[in-house]
Amino acid sequence: MKTNLRTRPDLEELSLELLLRHAVKAKHGLEKESMRVKPDGTLADTPHPEHLGSSLTNHYIKTDFAEPQLEYATHPRPRIEANIRELQDLHIYTIRKLNNELIWPFSMPPILPEDESKIPLGQYGTSPSGKWKTIYRNGLGLRYGRRMQTISGVHYNFSFSNVFLRQFLRKEISQFTKEEISSLYLHVIRNFLRRVHYLTYLTGSSAVFDSTFLTDPNDPRFDKHKNFTRYCLHATSLRMSEIGYTSSVQDSLGIHYNSLGEYVDRMCYAVHTPYEEYEKFQTGPDRQLNPNYLQIENEFYSPVRPKQVPKGDERPLDALLQRGIEYVEIRSLDIDPYSPVGVCRHNLAFTQLILLDSLLNDSPPIEEAERKIHKENLNKVIWEGRKPELTVDVDGSQKNFLQTGEEYSESLRNYAKLLDRHTGRRTYQDAIDFQIKKWKDPLKTPSGKLLCEILKRDIEFRDKGMELARENRRALSYLEYSPGTLSRIEKEALRSFQEKEQLEREESQTQYPTVKLCNH
């Protein structure tokens, strides 16, 4: 796949090596969800551990949908390895505070209760913002089911450095406009959507799951193994399928990334417009935040989202309109079951290469016909990605997916060599070598490796999960913190409780603010 450097008219005259010298200074951040489980593989029924701080206000460790669903967040850092190390420190701290509980190692959930109403919603205290978060989660459960919301994943946040943007745009930082930067990130997002099915194949690890996840354990779409294991033979990431984080209602909204104005306009429509089916849930004040297509912006499911950090009580859409896009959030990564912290540095480095390639190639607007092709390609890979004869649409022709994916991965080799030259390591070339092995042998993918092991050893998914959870606890228990980390985590836990208590002392019943800049 030949790189077509038309993003900047004069970029071909610019040394690519000089540009990529500054690309290594990009900022990376990680968010990772994981379930706490009891020794028998069922959901932990204890509150969020007090030693971990307040789930409402801790910057490092919170909860996601369910009370036992931990959510970790790292600082933006210029090196992927530093992010992984910080995530490791947070895991070390957690396991030393969990007593007999373990951290579930998969994206697909552990053993769930037969009655999904017994999946406990996240609890955040008695402040207005704390109550609001629980009501929002109750609304998610009503709309999509609590089982689906227990699926966990990894979010990778990425932004180009200012020095890179200065070199790329040939402007001083003071001359950057929010429109230029937003347009650049939307350019990246569109091309990422054209390539996301490759990443889904390489990083998907959710082809197999526990039968308690299904409302119908005999769902004909899935094969049965032993008593409690269900799987799809050639699947890659069922987390990204219609049983996971995909919504036909949201697909009907026409939210696209051709311009920031168009994106915000459609999102504003979604958060302000009632949806008839959701109005049926509005039988009490604490059932959901509202009956709109989206209760809030974060309810929107997409493999990638444009982001800007809100200030104070500012809503995300207002933040985007006021200051433009600051970074992109990649949401298509499954938890890596063969990493004690659930992330693989090779996969993150390869994702960065995809984002760089997405910037340095043409990225025309995505019209409806092309959007449907992308969706069909991704859906094929989700359900049948490891099937040797699978074909996908490439420029209007059906081509073998595994061969096309290998060719695409090799096309990134020049970027990898130049980046490695400036880091003094083989981070990016090793990442490509790691992925090439998966294209040549689908059983080397996380989804293929995990399913093959479960079937070959004739064990249950739940038993493999507990086996890995115990192994991870042992491995992490022998590791030491990075210098100064323990003190920083403990101080943040204490600070978070103080902030939570302050919020609960406030008498004003502040409501979540409206989107002031939307006209809907």
Side-chain angles (χ1 to χ4, degrees):
M1 184 176 292
K2 185 178 180 181
T3 302
N4 184 8
L5 305 179
R6 295 186 198 168
T7 309
R8 274 263 321 282
D10 61 337
L11 189 55
E12 290 186 78
E13 301 173 11
L14 180 69
S15 166
L16 182 61
E17 182 171 357
L18 177 62
L19 182 64
L20 295 190
R21 177 187 302 173
H22 302 299
V24 299
K25 300 174 183 176
K27 287 187 178 180
H28 316 268
L30 293 172
E31 301 168 54
K32 185 246 184 181
E33 305 143 359
S34 294
M35 281 290 184
R36 290 185 291 116
V37 294
K38 294 188 286 188
D40 63 357
T42 58
L43 292 180
D45 51 14
T46 54
H48 184 68
E50 191 170 300
H51 290 294
L52 303 185
S54 165
S55 59
L56 176 65
T57 53
N58 193 318
H59 291 148
Y60 303 143
I61 309 174
K62 297 181 178 172
T63 60
D64 197 62
F65 173 79
E67 183 69 0
Q69 193 170 24
L70 299 167
E71 181 179 14
Y72 298 102
T74 71
H75 292 89
R77 296 181 181 275
R79 286 186 57 200
I80 290 171
E81 292 85 357
N83 275 118
I84 296 176
R85 184 59 208 251
E86 183 180 3
L87 187 63
Q88 178 178 287
D89 288 334
L90 294 174
H91 278 72
I92 294 171
Y93 183 79
T94 302
I95 64 162
R96 294 179 181 178
K97 304 298 182 182
L98 286 187
N99 296 322
N100 292 327
E101 293 175 355
L102 297 158
I103 299 175
W104 186 248
F106 299 135
S107 280
M108 298 305 283
I111 302 170
L112 297 177
E114 183 176 353
D115 179 359
E116 73 167 27
S117 68
K118 293 182 179 179
I119 297 172
L121 301 175
Q123 300 297 314
Y124 305 91
T126 59
S127 68
S129 56
K131 292 179 179 178
W132 175 90
K133 290 175 76 71
T134 299
I135 294 170
Y136 168 60
R137 282 153 177 74
N138 192 69
L140 293 176
L142 293 171
R143 296 168 179 221
Y144 313 106
R146 293 194 182 189
R147 283 184 174 84
M148 188 276 275
Q149 292 293 323
T150 62
I151 300 175
S152 298
V154 175
H155 298 169
Y156 169 47
N157 301 323
F158 176 87
S159 64
F160 296 105
S161 67
N162 282 338
V163 66
F164 175 87
L165 294 174
R166 183 178 64 190
Q167 187 73 47
F168 186 78
L169 296 173
R170 289 292 184 91
K171 284 185 176 184
E172 291 301 316
I173 296 172
S174 60
Q175 297 176 313
F176 292 172
T177 67
K178 67 179 182 182
E179 289 78 15
E180 283 178 311
I181 303 302
S182 296
S183 178
L184 184 147
Y185 279 116
L186 289 172
H187 176 116
V188 171
I189 287 173
R190 290 193 299 274
N191 270 346
F192 179 82
L193 291 172
R194 293 177 169 114
R195 297 152 168 77
V196 68
H197 55 300
Y198 297 133
L199 193 61
T200 300
Y201 168 85
L202 295 169
T203 64
S205 63
S206 50
V208 57
F209 56 91
D210 194 83
S211 61
T212 56
F213 174 75
L214 296 173
T215 52
D216 176 13
N218 298 312
D219 189 322
R221 291 176 293 179
F222 305 105
D223 294 312
K224 297 180 181 180
H225 173 67
K226 298 183 75 68
N227 294 324
F228 304 108
T229 299
R230 302 292 179 266
Y231 67 96
C232 190
L233 186 59
H234 294 110
T236 57
S237 178
L238 296 175
R239 167 180 166 268
M240 297 289 290
S241 75
E242 57 263 35
I243 70 168
Y245 287 99
T246 299
S247 165
S248 59
V249 174
Q250 294 185 15
D251 285 345
S252 71
L253 292 169
I255 298 173
H256 303 312
Y257 303 94
N258 294 331
S259 72
L260 184 61
E262 178 187 28
Y263 173 79
V264 171
D265 184 70
R266 294 308 299 168
M267 285 291 288
C268 283
Y269 174 85
V271 299
H272 282 289
T273 307
Y275 177 56
E276 183 178 2
E277 290 300 312
Y278 297 161
E279 288 182 311
K280 296 175 182 178
F281 301 139
Q282 203 71 8
T283 57
D286 297 337
R287 298 276 283 169
Q288 56 185 348
L289 295 179
N290 55 63
N292 301 334
Y293 281 94
L294 301 176
Q295 297 174 89
I296 58 171
E297 300 90 319
N298 288 348
E299 189 174 332
F300 181 53
Y301 302 143
S302 175
V304 57
R305 289 199 301 217
K307 302 285 282 190
Q308 171 62 253
V309 179
K311 296 180 177 179
D313 290 333
E314 186 179 42
R315 283 191 72 156
L317 286 178
D318 289 323
L320 281 173
L321 282 172
Q322 290 278 31
R323 297 182 297 284
I325 300 171
E326 182 177 352
Y327 64 96
V328 294
E329 179 188 44
I330 306 303
R331 302 167 53 83
S332 59
L333 301 174
D334 283 359
I335 291 174
D336 189 321
Y338 295 101
S339 162
V341 297
V343 296
C344 168
R345 67 182 179 90
H346 292 318
N347 289 341
L348 296 180
F350 190 80
T351 304
Q352 184 186 354
L353 288 172
I354 293 177
L355 292 170
L356 185 61
D357 179 62
S358 295
L359 173 65
L360 298 178
N361 275 275
D362 255 358
S363 184
I366 296 177
E367 305 301 338
E368 184 60 21
E370 186 185 0
R371 189 188 73 84
K372 289 181 178 178
I373 291 173
H374 298 161
K375 186 173 179 60
E376 182 178 354
N377 280 348
L378 180 57
N379 199 50
K380 279 184 174 182
V381 173
I382 285 169
W383 288 94
E384 301 180 302
R386 287 182 288 104
K387 183 181 289 185
E389 63 272 21
L390 178 68
T391 62
V392 294
D393 187 297
V394 179
D395 297 328
S397 300
Q398 290 293 316
K399 295 187 177 180
N400 181 269
F401 172 62
L402 296 180
Q403 180 181 344
T404 301
E406 183 177 350
E407 291 171 355
Y408 175 71
S409 298
E410 280 292 353
S411 76
L412 304 178
R413 181 77 66 178
N414 189 41
Y415 299 149
K417 289 179 179 178
L418 293 174
L419 289 171
D420 284 342
R421 184 178 301 171
H422 295 299
T423 62
R425 299 180 297 275
R426 279 188 54 90
T427 299
Y428 298 96
Q429 292 179 80
D430 286 347
I432 290 179
D433 293 341
F434 183 70
Q435 310 305 347
I436 293 297
K437 293 176 183 178
K438 300 177 189 175
W439 292 116
K440 293 184 179 298
D441 182 1
L443 291 181
K444 293 187 182 298
T445 61
S447 59
K449 183 177 178 182
L450 178 61
L451 179 58
C452 180
E453 181 180 355
I454 287 173
L455 297 180
K456 191 173 182 179
R457 290 178 56 194
D458 196 29
I459 58 175
E460 297 277 16
F461 171 78
R462 57 178 64 176
D463 294 333
K464 178 60 182 176
M466 294 309 296
E467 178 182 294
L468 283 175
R470 288 188 289 268
E471 288 177 3
N472 292 342
R473 180 172 62 180
R474 283 194 295 271
L476 291 166
S477 66
Y478 289 114
L479 299 177
E480 296 297 329
Y481 294 105
S482 302
T485 295
L486 177 59
S487 174
R488 186 168 63 248
I489 295 175
E490 290 178 333
K491 287 180 179 178
E492 175 59 19
L494 178 61
R495 187 213 61 81
S496 70
F497 277 122
Q498 293 170 342
E499 182 181 352
K500 173 178 176 288
E501 290 169 1
Q502 180 180 343
L503 289 171
E504 292 178 342
R505 284 195 300 267
E506 295 176 351
E507 294 183 356
S508 60
Q509 296 298 300
T510 306
Q511 295 182 352
Y512 195 66
T514 58
V515 183
K516 303 178 184 68
L517 301 181
C518 291
N519 294 319
H520 296 287

mmCIF file of all heavy atoms in Angstrom, residues 1 186-198 258 304 354 358 361-367 370-371 373-374 377 393-395 408:
data_model
loop_
_atom_site.group_PDB
_atom_site.id
_atom_site.type_symbol
_atom_site.label_atom_id
_atom_site.label_comp_id
_atom_site.label_asym_id
_atom_site.label_seq_id
_atom_site.Cartn_x
_atom_site.Cartn_y
_atom_site.Cartn_z
ATOM 1 N N MET A 1 0.847 -1.186 0.000
ATOM 2 C CA MET A 1 0.000 0.000 0.000
ATOM 3 C C MET A 1 0.883 1.236 0.000
ATOM 4 O O MET A 1 1.629 1.479 0.945
ATOM 5 C CB MET A 1 -0.915 0.011 1.235
ATOM 6 C CG MET A 1 -1.883 1.169 1.250
ATOM 7 S SD MET A 1 -3.006 1.054 2.661
ATOM 8 C CE MET A 1 -3.952 -0.386 2.208
ATOM 9 N N LEU A 186 -9.790 14.752 12.765
ATOM 10 C CA LEU A 186 -10.900 14.100 12.061
ATOM 11 C C LEU A 186 -10.394 13.359 10.830
ATOM 12 O O LEU A 186 -10.910 12.291 10.482
ATOM 13 C CB LEU A 186 -11.946 15.145 11.668
ATOM 14 C CG LEU A 186 -12.748 15.735 12.831
ATOM 15 C CD1 LEU A 186 -13.603 16.905 12.343
ATOM 16 C CD2 LEU A 186 -13.636 14.669 13.479
ATOM 17 N N HIS A 187 -9.393 13.918 10.167
ATOM 18 C CA HIS A 187 -8.718 13.240 9.058
ATOM 19 C C HIS A 187 -8.186 11.883 9.528
ATOM 20 O O HIS A 187 -8.376 10.849 8.866
ATOM 21 C CB HIS A 187 -7.577 14.157 8.592
ATOM 22 C CG HIS A 187 -6.701 13.608 7.524
ATOM 23 N ND1 HIS A 187 -6.618 14.159 6.271
ATOM 24 C CD2 HIS A 187 -5.823 12.555 7.512
ATOM 25 C CE1 HIS A 187 -5.750 13.489 5.540
ATOM 26 N NE2 HIS A 187 -5.250 12.510 6.278
ATOM 27 N N VAL A 188 -7.529 11.891 10.687
ATOM 28 C CA VAL A 188 -6.995 10.649 11.261
ATOM 29 C C VAL A 188 -8.114 9.679 11.596
ATOM 30 O O VAL A 188 -8.026 8.472 11.307
ATOM 31 C CB VAL A 188 -6.148 10.966 12.514
ATOM 32 C CG1 VAL A 188 -5.777 9.680 13.248
ATOM 33 C CG2 VAL A 188 -4.889 11.740 12.129
ATOM 34 N N ILE A 189 -9.184 10.175 12.213
ATOM 35 C CA ILE A 189 -10.294 9.317 12.626
ATOM 36 C C ILE A 189 -10.924 8.625 11.418
ATOM 37 O O ILE A 189 -11.213 7.421 11.458
ATOM 38 C CB ILE A 189 -11.338 10.138 13.401
ATOM 39 C CG1 ILE A 189 -10.808 10.476 14.800
ATOM 40 C CG2 ILE A 189 -12.669 9.383 13.506
ATOM 41 C CD1 ILE A 189 -11.679 11.427 15.579
ATOM 42 N N ARG A 190 -11.150 9.370 10.340
ATOM 43 C CA ARG A 190 -11.770 8.758 9.155
ATOM 44 C C ARG A 190 -10.909 7.624 8.606
ATOM 45 O O ARG A 190 -11.406 6.542 8.271
ATOM 46 C CB ARG A 190 -12.016 9.823 8.083
ATOM 47 C CG ARG A 190 -13.098 10.816 8.433
ATOM 48 C CD ARG A 190 -13.516 11.631 7.217
ATOM 49 N NE ARG A 190 -12.422 12.416 6.658
ATOM 50 C CZ ARG A 190 -12.071 13.636 7.064
ATOM 51 N NH1 ARG A 190 -12.727 14.214 8.064
ATOM 52 N NH2 ARG A 190 -11.078 14.279 6.478
ATOM 53 N N ASN A 191 -9.618 7.867 8.525
ATOM 54 C CA ASN A 191 -8.750 6.808 8.015
ATOM 55 C C ASN A 191 -8.614 5.652 8.999
ATOM 56 O O ASN A 191 -8.459 4.495 8.584
ATOM 57 C CB ASN A 191 -7.367 7.371 7.665
ATOM 58 C CG ASN A 191 -7.290 7.853 6.227
ATOM 59 O OD1 ASN A 191 -8.160 7.548 5.411
ATOM 60 N ND2 ASN A 191 -6.253 8.617 5.914
ATOM 61 N N PHE A 192 -8.660 5.953 10.284
ATOM 62 C CA PHE A 192 -8.629 4.858 11.265
ATOM 63 C C PHE A 192 -9.843 3.951 11.069
ATOM 64 O O PHE A 192 -9.722 2.721 11.139
ATOM 65 C CB PHE A 192 -8.607 5.417 12.684
ATOM 66 C CG PHE A 192 -8.593 4.346 13.737
ATOM 67 C CD1 PHE A 192 -7.411 3.717 14.096
ATOM 68 C CD2 PHE A 192 -9.769 3.932 14.362
ATOM 69 C CE1 PHE A 192 -7.393 2.713 15.049
ATOM 70 C CE2 PHE A 192 -9.760 2.930 15.327
ATOM 71 C CZ PHE A 192 -8.566 2.318 15.664
ATOM 72 N N LEU A 193 -11.012 4.526 10.822
ATOM 73 C CA LEU A 193 -12.216 3.724 10.584
ATOM 74 C C LEU A 193 -12.074 2.875 9.330
ATOM 75 O O LEU A 193 -12.680 1.799 9.232
ATOM 76 C CB LEU A 193 -13.438 4.639 10.468
ATOM 77 C CG LEU A 193 -13.861 5.321 11.776
ATOM 78 C CD1 LEU A 193 -14.959 6.346 11.514
ATOM 79 C CD2 LEU A 193 -14.336 4.296 12.796
ATOM 80 N N ARG A 194 -11.274 3.315 8.382
ATOM 81 C CA ARG A 194 -11.018 2.530 7.169
ATOM 82 C C ARG A 194 -10.082 1.360 7.448
ATOM 83 O O ARG A 194 -9.973 0.440 6.642
ATOM 84 C CB ARG A 194 -10.417 3.427 6.083
ATOM 85 C CG ARG A 194 -11.376 4.493 5.552
ATOM 86 C CD ARG A 194 -10.702 5.410 4.537
ATOM 87 N NE ARG A 194 -11.682 6.237 3.857
ATOM 88 C CZ ARG A 194 -11.773 7.570 3.968
ATOM 89 N NH1 ARG A 194 -10.914 8.240 4.733
ATOM 90 N NH2 ARG A 194 -12.709 8.219 3.314
ATOM 91 N N ARG A 195 -9.384 1.390 8.605
ATOM 92 C CA ARG A 195 -8.384 0.378 8.923
ATOM 93 C C ARG A 195 -8.691 -0.419 10.182
ATOM 94 O O ARG A 195 -7.966 -1.356 10.511
ATOM 95 C CB ARG A 195 -7.016 1.062 9.105
ATOM 96 C CG ARG A 195 -6.470 1.751 7.864
ATOM 97 C CD ARG A 195 -5.558 2.917 8.221
ATOM 98 N NE ARG A 195 -4.801 3.448 7.104
ATOM 99 C CZ ARG A 195 -5.294 4.234 6.156
ATOM 100 N NH1 ARG A 195 -6.578 4.597 6.198
ATOM 101 N NH2 ARG A 195 -4.528 4.674 5.169
ATOM 102 N N VAL A 196 -9.753 -0.068 10.896
ATOM 103 C CA VAL A 196 -9.979 -0.640 12.230
ATOM 104 C C VAL A 196 -10.191 -2.145 12.195
ATOM 105 O O VAL A 196 -9.905 -2.847 13.171
ATOM 106 C CB VAL A 196 -11.161 0.072 12.927
ATOM 107 C CG1 VAL A 196 -12.489 -0.232 12.229
ATOM 108 C CG2 VAL A 196 -11.224 -0.321 14.401
ATOM 109 N N HIS A 197 -10.682 -2.688 11.079
ATOM 110 C CA HIS A 197 -10.905 -4.137 11.030
ATOM 111 C C HIS A 197 -9.582 -4.906 11.109
ATOM 112 O O HIS A 197 -9.556 -6.034 11.608
ATOM 113 C CB HIS A 197 -11.703 -4.539 9.777
ATOM 114 C CG HIS A 197 -11.130 -4.090 8.474
ATOM 115 N ND1 HIS A 197 -10.931 -2.772 8.154
ATOM 116 C CD2 HIS A 197 -10.705 -4.801 7.392
ATOM 117 C CE1 HIS A 197 -10.433 -2.678 6.939
ATOM 118 N NE2 HIS A 197 -10.269 -3.893 6.460
ATOM 119 N N TYR A 198 -8.472 -4.308 10.649
ATOM 120 C CA TYR A 198 -7.170 -4.950 10.808
ATOM 121 C C TYR A 198 -6.804 -5.042 12.292
ATOM 122 O O TYR A 198 -6.353 -6.086 12.778
ATOM 123 C CB TYR A 198 -6.083 -4.153 10.074
ATOM 124 C CG TYR A 198 -6.253 -4.063 8.582
ATOM 125 C CD1 TYR A 198 -6.130 -2.839 7.921
ATOM 126 C CD2 TYR A 198 -6.516 -5.188 7.816
ATOM 127 C CE1 TYR A 198 -6.277 -2.746 6.545
ATOM 128 C CE2 TYR A 198 -6.662 -5.105 6.437
ATOM 129 C CZ TYR A 198 -6.544 -3.872 5.811
ATOM 130 O OH TYR A 198 -6.686 -3.787 4.439
ATOM 131 N N ASN A 258 -16.900 13.901 9.241
ATOM 132 C CA ASN A 258 -16.421 14.672 8.094
ATOM 133 C C ASN A 258 -16.075 16.112 8.466
ATOM 134 O O ASN A 258 -15.282 16.755 7.794
ATOM 135 C CB ASN A 258 -17.446 14.637 6.963
ATOM 136 C CG ASN A 258 -17.599 13.234 6.388
ATOM 137 O OD1 ASN A 258 -16.655 12.445 6.424
ATOM 138 N ND2 ASN A 258 -18.770 12.909 5.884
ATOM 139 N N VAL A 304 -13.745 4.736 17.734
ATOM 140 C CA VAL A 304 -12.849 5.868 17.986
ATOM 141 C C VAL A 304 -13.708 7.100 18.220
ATOM 142 O O VAL A 304 -14.779 7.256 17.630
ATOM 143 C CB VAL A 304 -11.892 6.075 16.788
ATOM 144 C CG1 VAL A 304 -12.646 6.288 15.499
ATOM 145 C CG2 VAL A 304 -10.929 7.227 17.046
ATOM 146 N N ILE A 354 -0.670 2.822 12.916
ATOM 147 C CA ILE A 354 -1.899 2.994 12.139
ATOM 148 C C ILE A 354 -2.350 4.446 12.173
ATOM 149 O O ILE A 354 -2.759 5.026 11.153
ATOM 150 C CB ILE A 354 -3.010 2.066 12.658
ATOM 151 C CG1 ILE A 354 -2.666 0.600 12.394
ATOM 152 C CG2 ILE A 354 -4.353 2.408 12.001
ATOM 153 C CD1 ILE A 354 -3.688 -0.379 12.935
ATOM 154 N N SER A 358 -2.639 6.919 9.140
ATOM 155 C CA SER A 358 -3.929 7.561 8.881
ATOM 156 C C SER A 358 -3.762 9.051 8.631
ATOM 157 O O SER A 358 -4.513 9.642 7.851
ATOM 158 C CB SER A 358 -4.875 7.333 10.066
ATOM 159 O OG SER A 358 -5.194 5.962 10.207
ATOM 160 N N ASN A 361 -1.908 9.801 4.869
ATOM 161 C CA ASN A 361 -2.592 9.386 3.648
ATOM 162 C C ASN A 361 -3.824 10.239 3.418
ATOM 163 O O ASN A 361 -4.380 10.820 4.354
ATOM 164 C CB ASN A 361 -3.000 7.910 3.728
ATOM 165 C CG ASN A 361 -1.885 6.976 3.313
ATOM 166 O OD1 ASN A 361 -1.699 6.701 2.140
ATOM 167 N ND2 ASN A 361 -1.124 6.510 4.290
ATOM 168 N N ASP A 362 -4.260 10.294 2.187
ATOM 169 C CA ASP A 362 -5.496 10.990 1.860
ATOM 170 C C ASP A 362 -6.640 10.488 2.732
ATOM 171 O O ASP A 362 -6.733 9.285 3.010
ATOM 172 C CB ASP A 362 -5.855 10.741 0.390
ATOM 173 C CG ASP A 362 -5.569 11.948 -0.482
ATOM 174 O OD1 ASP A 362 -5.134 12.974 0.067
ATOM 175 O OD2 ASP A 362 -5.788 11.858 -1.704
ATOM 176 N N SER A 363 -7.518 11.384 3.127
ATOM 177 C CA SER A 363 -8.662 10.993 3.958
ATOM 178 C C SER A 363 -9.897 11.777 3.539
ATOM 179 O O SER A 363 -10.340 12.703 4.235
ATOM 180 C CB SER A 363 -8.351 11.231 5.439
ATOM 181 O OG SER A 363 -9.417 10.782 6.261
ATOM 182 N N PRO A 364 -10.481 11.431 2.394
ATOM 183 C CA PRO A 364 -11.671 12.157 1.939
ATOM 184 C C PRO A 364 -12.856 11.914 2.864
ATOM 185 O O PRO A 364 -12.836 10.982 3.675
ATOM 186 C CB PRO A 364 -11.922 11.560 0.547
ATOM 187 C CG PRO A 364 -11.306 10.197 0.602
ATOM 188 C CD PRO A 364 -10.103 10.334 1.484
ATOM 189 N N PRO A 365 -13.882 12.750 2.762
ATOM 190 C CA PRO A 365 -15.095 12.522 3.571
ATOM 191 C C PRO A 365 -15.659 11.134 3.344
ATOM 192 O O PRO A 365 -15.546 10.573 2.249
ATOM 193 C CB PRO A 365 -16.053 13.606 3.067
ATOM 194 C CG PRO A 365 -15.168 14.671 2.506
ATOM 195 C CD PRO A 365 -13.982 13.941 1.916
ATOM 196 N N ILE A 366 -16.246 10.576 4.386
ATOM 197 C CA ILE A 366 -16.864 9.253 4.286
ATOM 198 C C ILE A 366 -18.357 9.436 4.034
ATOM 199 O O ILE A 366 -19.091 9.933 4.895
ATOM 200 C CB ILE A 366 -16.631 8.435 5.568
ATOM 201 C CG1 ILE A 366 -15.140 8.171 5.763
ATOM 202 C CG2 ILE A 366 -17.411 7.115 5.513
ATOM 203 C CD1 ILE A 366 -14.809 7.424 7.044
ATOM 204 N N GLU A 367 -18.787 9.047 2.854
ATOM 205 C CA GLU A 367 -20.209 9.110 2.517
ATOM 206 C C GLU A 367 -20.886 7.813 2.961
ATOM 207 O O GLU A 367 -20.238 6.853 3.345
ATOM 208 C CB GLU A 367 -20.392 9.352 1.026
ATOM 209 C CG GLU A 367 -19.657 10.585 0.502
ATOM 210 C CD GLU A 367 -20.087 11.882 1.179
ATOM 211 O OE1 GLU A 367 -21.212 11.923 1.735
ATOM 212 O OE2 GLU A 367 -19.304 12.854 1.171
ATOM 213 N N GLU A 370 -19.732 4.349 1.552
ATOM 214 C CA GLU A 370 -18.461 3.878 2.090
ATOM 215 C C GLU A 370 -18.610 3.470 3.551
ATOM 216 O O GLU A 370 -18.008 2.494 3.999
ATOM 217 C CB GLU A 370 -17.382 4.958 1.968
ATOM 218 C CG GLU A 370 -16.003 4.456 2.395
ATOM 219 C CD GLU A 370 -14.934 5.521 2.393
ATOM 220 O OE1 GLU A 370 -15.242 6.684 2.067
ATOM 221 O OE2 GLU A 370 -13.779 5.187 2.740
ATOM 222 N N ARG A 371 -19.411 4.214 4.296
ATOM 223 C CA ARG A 371 -19.634 3.865 5.705
ATOM 224 C C ARG A 371 -20.192 2.450 5.824
ATOM 225 O O ARG A 371 -19.806 1.684 6.712
ATOM 226 C CB ARG A 371 -20.583 4.866 6.353
ATOM 227 C CG ARG A 371 -20.706 4.709 7.868
ATOM 228 C CD ARG A 371 -21.808 5.585 8.421
ATOM 229 N NE ARG A 371 -23.118 5.060 8.093
ATOM 230 C CZ ARG A 371 -23.751 4.112 8.801
ATOM 231 N NH1 ARG A 371 -23.172 3.578 9.865
ATOM 232 N NH2 ARG A 371 -24.947 3.701 8.442
ATOM 233 N N ILE A 373 -19.716 -0.007 3.769
ATOM 234 C CA ILE A 373 -18.640 -0.956 3.451
ATOM 235 C C ILE A 373 -17.749 -1.166 4.669
ATOM 236 O O ILE A 373 -17.387 -2.299 5.008
ATOM 237 C CB ILE A 373 -17.817 -0.449 2.251
ATOM 238 C CG1 ILE A 373 -18.653 -0.516 0.972
ATOM 239 C CG2 ILE A 373 -16.529 -1.260 2.092
ATOM 240 C CD1 ILE A 373 -17.989 0.129 -0.234
ATOM 241 N N HIS A 374 -17.407 -0.073 5.343
ATOM 242 C CA HIS A 374 -16.585 -0.194 6.548
ATOM 243 C C HIS A 374 -17.275 -1.055 7.596
ATOM 244 O O HIS A 374 -16.646 -1.916 8.228
ATOM 245 C CB HIS A 374 -16.300 1.181 7.153
ATOM 246 C CG HIS A 374 -15.528 2.091 6.255
ATOM 247 N ND1 HIS A 374 -15.487 3.455 6.432
ATOM 248 C CD2 HIS A 374 -14.760 1.833 5.162
ATOM 249 C CE1 HIS A 374 -14.731 3.998 5.494
ATOM 250 N NE2 HIS A 374 -14.297 3.033 4.712
ATOM 251 N N ASN A 377 -17.184 -4.715 6.508
ATOM 252 C CA ASN A 377 -15.849 -5.281 6.693
ATOM 253 C C ASN A 377 -15.582 -5.595 8.160
ATOM 254 O O ASN A 377 -15.094 -6.671 8.505
ATOM 255 C CB ASN A 377 -14.785 -4.306 6.181
ATOM 256 C CG ASN A 377 -14.617 -4.337 4.671
ATOM 257 O OD1 ASN A 377 -15.129 -5.227 3.993
ATOM 258 N ND2 ASN A 377 -13.890 -3.368 4.140
ATOM 259 N N ASP A 393 -13.941 -6.042 1.415
ATOM 260 C CA ASP A 393 -13.974 -5.078 0.317
ATOM 261 C C ASP A 393 -12.752 -4.162 0.409
ATOM 262 O O ASP A 393 -12.552 -3.472 1.405
ATOM 263 C CB ASP A 393 -15.262 -4.252 0.389
ATOM 264 C CG ASP A 393 -15.438 -3.354 -0.825
ATOM 265 O OD1 ASP A 393 -14.593 -2.460 -1.027
ATOM 266 O OD2 ASP A 393 -16.426 -3.520 -1.556
ATOM 267 N N VAL A 394 -11.938 -4.166 -0.644
ATOM 268 C CA VAL A 394 -10.786 -3.266 -0.737
ATOM 269 C C VAL A 394 -10.908 -2.508 -2.055
ATOM 270 O O VAL A 394 -10.771 -3.095 -3.127
ATOM 271 C CB VAL A 394 -9.448 -4.034 -0.691
ATOM 272 C CG1 VAL A 394 -8.274 -3.060 -0.803
ATOM 273 C CG2 VAL A 394 -9.348 -4.869 0.576
ATOM 274 N N ASP A 395 -11.229 -1.233 -1.970
ATOM 275 C CA ASP A 395 -11.364 -0.384 -3.158
ATOM 276 C C ASP A 395 -12.332 -0.979 -4.176
ATOM 277 O O ASP A 395 -12.077 -0.971 -5.386
ATOM 278 C CB ASP A 395 -10.003 -0.151 -3.816
ATOM 279 C CG ASP A 395 -9.036 0.588 -2.908
ATOM 280 O OD1 ASP A 395 -9.503 1.422 -2.108
ATOM 281 O OD2 ASP A 395 -7.819 0.332 -2.983
ATOM 282 N N TYR A 408 -0.862 -4.790 4.399
ATOM 283 C CA TYR A 408 -1.008 -3.486 5.052
ATOM 284 C C TYR A 408 0.010 -3.333 6.182
ATOM 285 O O TYR A 408 0.648 -2.280 6.329
ATOM 286 C CB TYR A 408 -2.419 -3.287 5.594
ATOM 287 C CG TYR A 408 -2.531 -1.999 6.382
ATOM 288 C CD1 TYR A 408 -2.500 -0.775 5.725
ATOM 289 C CD2 TYR A 408 -2.609 -2.015 7.774
ATOM 290 C CE1 TYR A 408 -2.552 0.413 6.434
ATOM 291 C CE2 TYR A 408 -2.654 -0.824 8.488
ATOM 292 C CZ TYR A 408 -2.629 0.385 7.812
ATOM 293 O OH TYR A 408 -2.651 1.551 8.521
#
